[in-house]
Amino acid sequence: MIYITRKEHFNAAHKLANPAWTDEQNLEVFGKCSNPNWHGHNYYLYVTVKGEIKPDTGYTVNLKDLSVLIRTHITDKLDHKNLNLDVDFMKGIMPSTEGLAIAIWKQLEKPVRELGGALHCIKLCETENNYVEYFGS
Amino acid sequence: MIYITRKEHFNAAHKLANPAWTDEQNLEVFGKCSNPNWHGHNYYLYVTVKGEIKPDTGYTVNLKDLSVLIRTHITDKLDHKNLNLDVDFMKGIMPSTEGLAIAIWKQLEKPVRELGGALHCIKLCETENNYVEYFGS
Amino acid sequence: MIYITRKEHFNAAHKLANPAWTDEQNLEVFGKCSNPNWHGHNYYLYVTVKGEIKPDTGYTVNLKDLSVLIRTHITDKLDHKNLNLDVDFMKGIMPSTEGLAIAIWKQLEKPVRELGGALHCIKLCETENNYVEYFGS
Amino acid sequence: MIYITRKEHFNAAHKLANPAWTDEQNLEVFGKCSNPNWHGHNYYLYVTVKGEIKPDTGYTVNLKDLSVLIRTHITDKLDHKNLNLDVDFMKGIMPSTEGLAIAIWKQLEKPVRELGGALHCIKLCETENNYVEYFGS
Amino acid sequence: MIYITRKEHFNAAHKLANPAWTDEQNLEVFGKCSNPNWHGHNYYLYVTVKGEIKPDTGYTVNLKDLSVLIRTHITDKLDHKNLNLDVDFMKGIMPSTEGLAIAIWKQLEKPVRELGGALHCIKLCETENNYVEYFGS
Amino acid sequence: MIYITRKEHFNAAHKLANPAWTDEQNLEVFGKCSNPNWHGHNYYLYVTVKGEIKPDTGYTVNLKDLSVLIRTHITDKLDHKNLNLDVDFMKGIMPSTEGLAIAIWKQLEKPVRELGGALHCIKLCETENNYVEYFGS
């Protein structure tokens, strides 16, 4: 069993605000992240897949296929978008780094399995000072 | 003469669109950067100041003072903001990396001189793959 | 269960020397790290907390709170200090990267629990070529 | 139990091609990586060792010893070499990142044990966008 | 006048050897870089263009156009290639970082001018510890 | 004319304090950097040399020679040392980043000329957020 990771990136706008709360409550909890006019980030996404090495290629999965898969299912939908408004699979989900990482896992789990591997970890970096990791449960 | 650089960062939303153009024209020229619902970046700002070394401190300028100055004049106004909507000194300016770098120069030139140095360069990184440098003319 | 990591940094002096040994023995084992007049590093500290997502915020723990907690308990006590001489929680402990990481764990375990998460990992980078990870046992 | 990691690097040429296949088949599966005239990378290797802290040194293993060990067994044999042609322990092995990481594990497992630790992970980065991790089984 | 930089990368094999010299002479001068079976690198290329800001776009040059231009003229010809054998514009040129940087300048100078800017600097990083800069004369 | 840069690093302790001042005055000006028990940094040093390409090697200067030269004259004297106490060429000089960069220039200017190049720039990074550049006058 070996673990292979592909890094991709996307740039997006978002804000953190609970729609059930007042602006003052949101400012108190989320601080600057609740700015009504949005802010944004350069996100770095690390997708880790585990599997056996195929004897004829030396590959676990072909990284070019994995990269196309991530772009199709994730980064084409997130890059240069508003995470609160523009993304089908984020409807009704708070676009915190945690919420986004789990949503990405749900989008990728099945396609990665069809590629011949098993999704092991979604690591999502929002800034160089914070990131989350999700292992599926 | 020695050159000293302080790096700061801020996260912001923006879009690139000429208000005199149609959405189609903006999409053709600016591509994904014209998304009406915004996108965003983690910006890295490098402020380079030149000057003589002060004999009693070994400093050109005190970096703590320079850092406070950059925060007061620039990053407190840009961090977690919308560059098109929220920033007084960006009114009427296209928030391209170029436009933002020149606007930052204009804000910092005088305060840096009052600190005892001369502003030499504003370097602004929008992503890890592109940046601009402005030397004041 | 999700894992969230906050990166902080501090700059400190230290030396590695067993007080029960002669200078020659210390030089033989610790090499340049035993220089009696000290040397120092820019340390990078990654604190990983695990927990459930809170439904009303989308947060595991609020990173601003976690950052304040790390500064109060750790980096305010280590930054611009001598690890052998100036730090209460390092008394009698060899300030190797290992020794420092375990001491940081002991300081943070309880406050992180009070914040609503569980401390998962302390990762401490002494240079860009070496780091240690400690998971609590 | 603590985990300590040493980073080393080497620069090497390689190509990916199954000798049982035609050039067209290799091009279809491996793309540009099958270029008959080779291509190359700056590889970054992270060797993680786990163990107990020795009370008289504060070390798990002495990083200088670990670094010498990695150079002797690995990087002296890989640096500025052709991974398909020049490396004894890669004979008959596809020099994919996966294949190389597992081969490095096999070379290091015993020497690391003799140093007083247990090899925990080989992480090998081929580019800044992809890496593999191997934990020994 | 403002300076805008685009970063691209490519992976390539090469060796350094003067064909007029014996293997011993080449080994003495070029060391491991003269390995007859090649070695390779992940190269990072920074192309800096200077120009005026266009008032209707806020751009000096459109970075998407610049990126396409660099790929067409440079990275499509260098990526996953052998710099000694596979590249038309490197025939008869020693593929040192210096030689490669100057050759890239010659390929890009005219196309960048046709894009509406002036080529200012080619910066080429062969490893994280060495790079060259060329300003055209 | 081409510019070639070699990056080296060293780890050192220092403090910033004017011996003619009281502890209170030093604390007011230098803040935490005046800690009497020292602090330290991982320094990164970039030495840029300019020159013509030699036709038989494709080199401006041989980077291996330049690296040996920097180690002999600079990093062997600074690495794992106290910049205030242990370094002959820093006697009587405030070990600010500025003071250290100029002192390094003075040590390297002549040896670099003897190597066949001209010293162009000393860039010295004290932390990832600040650095100085010195061009010799």
Side-chain angles (χ1 to χ4, degrees):
Chain A
M1 189 70 68
I2 199 158
Y3 298 77
I4 186 158
T5 299
R6 174 77 191 177
K7 178 188 176 191
E8 300 283 349
H9 66 273
F10 56 92
N11 310 320
H14 78 153
K15 70 173 171 186
L16 298 181
N18 186 327
W21 294 351
T22 65
D23 284 2
E24 288 68 29
Q25 285 174 302
N26 278 310
L27 183 63
E28 192 185 325
V29 172
F30 296 107
K32 296 180 294 184
C33 298
S34 70
N35 177 30
N37 284 334
W38 323 97
H39 66 284
H41 298 287
N42 302 335
Y43 288 91
Y44 290 94
L45 170 65
Y46 297 78
V47 176
T48 301
V49 173
K50 66 180 170 185
E52 306 284 342
I53 293 190
K54 313 292 180 291
D56 54 349
T57 61
Y59 282 164
T60 310
V61 294
N62 190 318
L63 276 180
K64 278 191 212 71
D65 297 338
L66 180 59
S67 180
V68 168
L69 185 155
I70 299 170
R71 288 182 203 190
T72 306
H73 291 270
I74 305 296
T75 53
D76 282 353
K77 296 180 177 177
L78 298 179
D79 190 34
H80 285 75
K81 300 294 185 191
N82 184 308
L83 302 176
N84 299 67
L85 302 179
D86 294 335
V87 186
D88 55 359
F89 67 75
M90 289 298 292
K91 296 294 177 202
I93 296 173
M94 183 79 74
S96 62
T97 321
E98 291 96 326
L100 186 53
I102 293 175
I104 291 171
W105 175 283
K106 289 178 181 170
Q107 295 299 306
L108 286 181
E109 192 174 18
K110 191 179 158 204
V112 165
R113 197 162 49 231
E114 291 168 356
L115 202 63
L119 187 56
H120 173 68
C121 182
I122 295 297
K123 178 179 174 181
L124 182 63
C125 305
E126 193 186 68
T127 74
E128 65 175 21
N129 294 324
N130 70 292
Y131 62 84
V132 305
E133 292 161 297
Y134 183 62
F135 298 86
S137 64
Chain B
M1 190 71 69
I2 200 159
Y3 298 77
I4 187 158
T5 299
R6 175 76 190 176
K7 179 187 175 191
E8 300 283 350
H9 66 272
F10 56 92
N11 309 322
H14 78 154
K15 70 174 170 185
L16 298 181
N18 186 328
W21 294 352
T22 65
D23 283 2
E24 289 69 29
Q25 286 175 305
N26 278 310
L27 183 62
E28 192 186 325
V29 172
F30 296 108
K32 296 180 294 185
C33 298
S34 69
N35 177 30
N37 283 334
W38 322 98
H39 66 284
H41 298 288
N42 301 334
Y43 288 91
Y44 291 93
L45 170 65
Y46 297 78
V47 176
T48 302
V49 173
K50 65 180 170 185
E52 307 284 342
I53 293 189
K54 312 292 180 290
D56 54 349
T57 60
Y59 281 164
T60 309
V61 295
N62 190 320
L63 276 180
K64 277 193 212 70
D65 297 338
L66 180 58
S67 181
V68 168
L69 184 155
I70 299 170
R71 289 182 202 191
T72 307
H73 292 269
I74 305 296
T75 54
D76 282 354
K77 296 180 177 178
L78 299 180
D79 190 34
H80 285 74
K81 300 294 185 190
N82 184 308
L83 302 178
N84 300 68
L85 301 179
D86 294 336
V87 186
D88 55 359
F89 66 77
M90 289 298 292
K91 296 293 178 204
I93 296 173
M94 182 79 75
S96 62
T97 321
E98 292 97 325
L100 186 54
I102 293 176
I104 290 171
W105 175 284
K106 288 178 181 170
Q107 296 300 306
L108 285 182
E109 192 175 18
K110 192 179 159 203
V112 165
R113 197 162 48 231
E114 291 168 356
L115 201 63
L119 187 57
H120 173 69
C121 182
I122 295 297
K123 178 179 173 181
L124 182 63
C125 304
E126 193 186 65
T127 74
E128 66 176 19
N129 294 323
N130 70 291
Y131 62 84
V132 304
E133 294 161 295
Y134 183 62
F135 298 87
S137 63
Chain C
M1 190 70 68
I2 199 158
Y3 298 76
I4 187 158
T5 299
R6 175 75 190 177
K7 179 186 175 191
E8 301 282 349
H9 66 272
F10 55 93
N11 310 321
H14 79 153
K15 71 174 171 186
L16 298 181
N18 185 327
W21 294 353
T22 64
D23 283 1
E24 289 68 29
Q25 286 175 302
N26 278 311
L27 184 62
E28 192 186 325
V29 172
F30 296 107
K32 296 179 295 185
C33 298
S34 70
N35 177 32
N37 284 333
W38 322 96
H39 66 284
H41 297 289
N42 302 334
Y43 288 91
Y44 291 94
L45 171 64
Y46 296 79
V47 176
T48 302
V49 173
K50 65 180 171 186
E52 306 284 343
I53 293 190
K54 312 292 180 290
D56 54 349
T57 61
Y59 282 164
T60 310
V61 294
N62 189 319
L63 277 179
K64 277 192 211 72
D65 297 338
L66 180 59
S67 180
V68 168
L69 184 155
I70 299 170
R71 289 182 202 191
T72 306
H73 292 270
I74 305 297
T75 54
D76 282 353
K77 296 181 176 177
L78 298 179
D79 190 34
H80 286 75
K81 301 293 186 192
N82 185 309
L83 301 177
N84 300 68
L85 302 178
D86 294 335
V87 186
D88 55 0
F89 66 75
M90 290 298 293
K91 296 294 179 203
I93 296 172
M94 183 79 75
S96 62
T97 321
E98 291 97 327
L100 185 54
I102 293 175
I104 290 171
W105 175 284
K106 289 178 180 170
Q107 296 299 307
L108 286 181
E109 192 174 18
K110 191 179 158 203
V112 165
R113 197 163 49 232
E114 292 169 354
L115 201 63
L119 187 56
H120 173 69
C121 182
I122 295 297
K123 178 179 173 181
L124 182 63
C125 304
E126 193 186 66
T127 74
E128 65 176 21
N129 295 323
N130 70 291
Y131 62 83
V132 304
E133 293 162 295
Y134 183 62
F135 297 88
S137 65
Chain D
M1 190 70 68
I2 199 159
Y3 297 77
I4 186 157
T5 299
R6 175 76 190 177
K7 179 188 175 190
E8 301 283 349
H9 65 273
F10 56 93
N11 310 320
H14 78 152
K15 70 173 171 187
L16 298 181
N18 186 327
W21 294 352
T22 64
D23 284 2
E24 288 68 29
Q25 286 175 302
N26 278 309
L27 183 63
E28 192 185 325
V29 172
F30 296 108
K32 297 180 294 185
C33 297
S34 70
N35 178 30
N37 284 333
W38 322 97
H39 66 284
H41 298 288
N42 302 334
Y43 287 91
Y44 291 94
L45 170 64
Y46 297 78
V47 176
T48 302
V49 173
K50 65 180 170 185
E52 306 284 343
I53 293 190
K54 313 291 179 292
D56 54 350
T57 60
Y59 282 164
T60 309
V61 294
N62 190 319
L63 276 180
K64 277 191 212 71
D65 297 338
L66 180 59
S67 181
V68 168
L69 184 154
I70 299 170
R71 289 183 202 189
T72 306
H73 291 270
I74 306 296
T75 54
D76 283 354
K77 296 180 177 178
L78 298 179
D79 191 33
H80 286 75
K81 299 295 186 191
N82 184 309
L83 300 177
N84 300 68
L85 302 178
D86 294 336
V87 186
D88 55 359
F89 67 76
M90 289 298 291
K91 295 295 178 202
I93 296 172
M94 183 80 74
S96 62
T97 321
E98 291 96 326
L100 186 53
I102 293 175
I104 290 171
W105 175 283
K106 289 178 180 170
Q107 295 299 308
L108 285 181
E109 192 174 19
K110 192 180 157 202
V112 165
R113 197 162 49 230
E114 291 169 356
L115 201 63
L119 187 57
H120 173 68
C121 181
I122 295 297
K123 178 180 174 182
L124 183 62
C125 305
E126 193 185 67
T127 74
E128 66 175 20
N129 294 323
N130 70 292
Y131 62 83
V132 305
E133 293 162 296
Y134 183 62
F135 297 87
S137 65
Chain E
M1 190 71 68
I2 200 159
Y3 298 76
I4 186 158
T5 299
R6 175 75 191 178
K7 179 187 176 191
E8 300 283 348
H9 66 272
F10 56 93
N11 309 321
H14 79 152
K15 71 173 170 186
L16 298 181
N18 185 327
W21 295 352
T22 64
D23 283 3
E24 289 69 29
Q25 286 175 303
N26 278 310
L27 183 62
E28 192 186 325
V29 172
F30 295 108
K32 295 181 295 184
C33 298
S34 70
N35 177 31
N37 283 333
W38 323 96
H39 67 284
H41 298 287
N42 302 335
Y43 287 91
Y44 291 94
L45 170 65
Y46 297 78
V47 176
T48 302
V49 173
K50 66 180 170 186
E52 306 283 342
I53 292 190
K54 312 295 179 289
D56 55 348
T57 61
Y59 281 165
T60 309
V61 294
N62 190 318
L63 275 179
K64 278 191 212 72
D65 297 337
L66 181 59
S67 181
V68 169
L69 184 155
I70 299 170
R71 288 183 202 189
T72 306
H73 291 271
I74 305 297
T75 54
D76 282 353
K77 296 180 177 178
L78 298 180
D79 190 34
H80 286 74
K81 300 295 186 190
N82 184 308
L83 301 177
N84 300 68
L85 301 178
D86 293 336
V87 185
D88 56 359
F89 67 75
M90 289 299 291
K91 296 294 178 202
I93 296 173
M94 182 79 75
S96 62
T97 321
E98 292 97 325
L100 186 53
I102 293 176
I104 290 171
W105 175 284
K106 289 178 181 170
Q107 295 299 307
L108 286 181
E109 191 175 19
K110 192 179 158 203
V112 165
R113 197 163 49 232
E114 291 168 356
L115 201 63
L119 187 57
H120 174 68
C121 182
I122 295 298
K123 178 179 174 182
L124 183 62
C125 304
E126 193 186 68
T127 73
E128 66 176 20
N129 295 323
N130 70 291
Y131 62 84
V132 304
E133 294 162 295
Y134 183 62
F135 297 88
S137 64
Chain F
M1 189 71 67
I2 200 160
Y3 298 77
I4 187 158
T5 299
R6 175 76 190 176
K7 178 188 176 190
E8 300 282 350
H9 65 272
F10 55 93
N11 309 320
H14 78 153
K15 71 174 170 186
L16 298 181
N18 186 328
W21 294 352
T22 64
D23 283 3
E24 288 70 28
Q25 286 175 302
N26 278 310
L27 183 62
E28 191 186 325
V29 172
F30 296 108
K32 296 180 295 184
C33 298
S34 70
N35 177 30
N37 283 335
W38 323 97
H39 66 284
H41 299 287
N42 301 336
Y43 288 91
Y44 291 94
L45 170 65
Y46 296 79
V47 176
T48 303
V49 173
K50 66 180 170 185
E52 307 282 343
I53 293 189
K54 312 294 180 290
D56 55 349
T57 60
Y59 281 166
T60 309
V61 295
N62 190 319
L63 275 179
K64 278 192 211 71
D65 298 337
L66 180 59
S67 180
V68 169
L69 185 155
I70 299 170
R71 289 182 201 190
T72 308
H73 292 270
I74 305 296
T75 53
D76 282 353
K77 297 180 176 176
L78 298 179
D79 191 34
H80 285 75
K81 300 294 185 190
N82 184 309
L83 301 177
N84 300 67
L85 301 178
D86 294 335
V87 186
D88 56 359
F89 66 76
M90 289 299 292
K91 296 292 177 204
I93 296 173
M94 182 79 75
S96 62
T97 321
E98 291 96 325
L100 186 53
I102 294 175
I104 290 171
W105 175 284
K106 289 178 181 170
Q107 296 299 307
L108 285 182
E109 191 175 19
K110 192 178 158 205
V112 166
R113 198 162 48 229
E114 291 168 355
L115 201 63
L119 187 56
H120 174 68
C121 181
I122 295 298
K123 178 179 173 180
L124 183 62
C125 304
E126 194 185 67
T127 74
E128 65 175 20
N129 294 324
N130 69 292
Y131 62 84
V132 304
E133 293 161 296
Y134 184 62
F135 297 87
S137 64

